[in-house]
């Protein structure tokens, strides 16, 4: 028995807003792109990049140039969402470190300038919702 194909909400919910998912699903489906094709590319973006670098006909494996461009856009969106999340986590952790010691000591420990550490501390102090995530060990 094969596992069920993922639905668009399951594939896109980690990096797209609930409002945007139906719009994107319609675009993907109009171009014959199944949720599992996008899910596979999102799960292994390095394989997508490797395919693009290795064969001139690589887009055929992804359903053609339009489909490959749409899948590439989702990989970019996922990467951007991850970057924002990790950046917020780092800022929050820097703010905690500065609270426990100082900007100077934290900058020294991390190899950052004092100015950069201060900026991270200020932005990290604005992200209190991350406290629970960081405490859970993310």
């Amino acid at each position: 028995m094969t596992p069920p194909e993922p639905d668009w909400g399951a594939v896109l919910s980690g990096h797209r807003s609930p409002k945007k998912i139906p719009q994107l699903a319609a675009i993907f489906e109009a171009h014959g792109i199944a949720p599992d094709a996008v899910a596979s590319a999102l799960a292994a973006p390095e394989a997508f990049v490797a395919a693009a670098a290795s064969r001139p006909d690589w887009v055929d494996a992804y359903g053609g140039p339009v489909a490959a461009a749409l899948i590439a856009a989702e990989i970019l969106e996922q990467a951007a969402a991850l970057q924002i999340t990790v950046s917020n986590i780092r800022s929050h952790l820097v703010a905690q470190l500065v609270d426990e010691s100082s900007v100077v000591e934290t900058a020294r420990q991390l190899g950052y300038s004092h100015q950069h550490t201060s900026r991270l501390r200020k932005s990290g102090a604005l992200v209190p919702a991350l406290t629970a995530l960081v405490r859970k060990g993310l």
Side-chain angles (χ1 to χ4, degrees):
M1 187 166 158
T2 60
E5 183 177 286
D7 67 13
W8 287 113
V11 172
L12 302 175
S13 65
H15 63 279
R16 293 291 195 167
S17 71
K19 182 179 177 181
K20 187 80 173 165
I21 291 172
Q23 297 167 351
L24 291 168
I27 292 168
F28 283 123
E29 289 170 0
H31 293 286
I33 305 166
D36 63 337
V38 178
S40 294
L42 292 174
E46 63 282 353
F48 182 86
V49 172
S54 66
R55 305 186 320 264
D57 65 340
W58 72 275
V59 295
D60 296 340
Y62 290 93
V66 172
L70 290 168
I71 291 170
E74 286 314 301
I75 293 170
L76 284 170
E77 286 295 323
Q78 181 185 51
L82 180 61
Q83 181 180 8
I84 289 166
T85 300
V86 173
S87 179
N88 286 336
I89 290 168
R90 178 185 64 164
S91 295
H92 181 73
L93 290 169
V94 167
Q96 283 185 325
L97 290 168
V98 168
D99 287 347
E100 293 169 7
S101 59
S102 68
V103 169
V104 172
E105 178 59 20
T106 302
R108 186 194 64 73
Q109 288 177 324
L110 299 175
Y112 298 161
S113 71
H114 299 153
Q115 295 83 0
H116 185 63
T117 303
S118 290
R119 281 193 302 273
L120 289 172
R121 182 196 59 77
K122 287 177 187 171
S123 65
L126 300 175
V127 193
L130 288 174
T131 303
L133 293 174
V134 173
R135 286 190 182 137
K136 287 182 181 179
L138 241 179

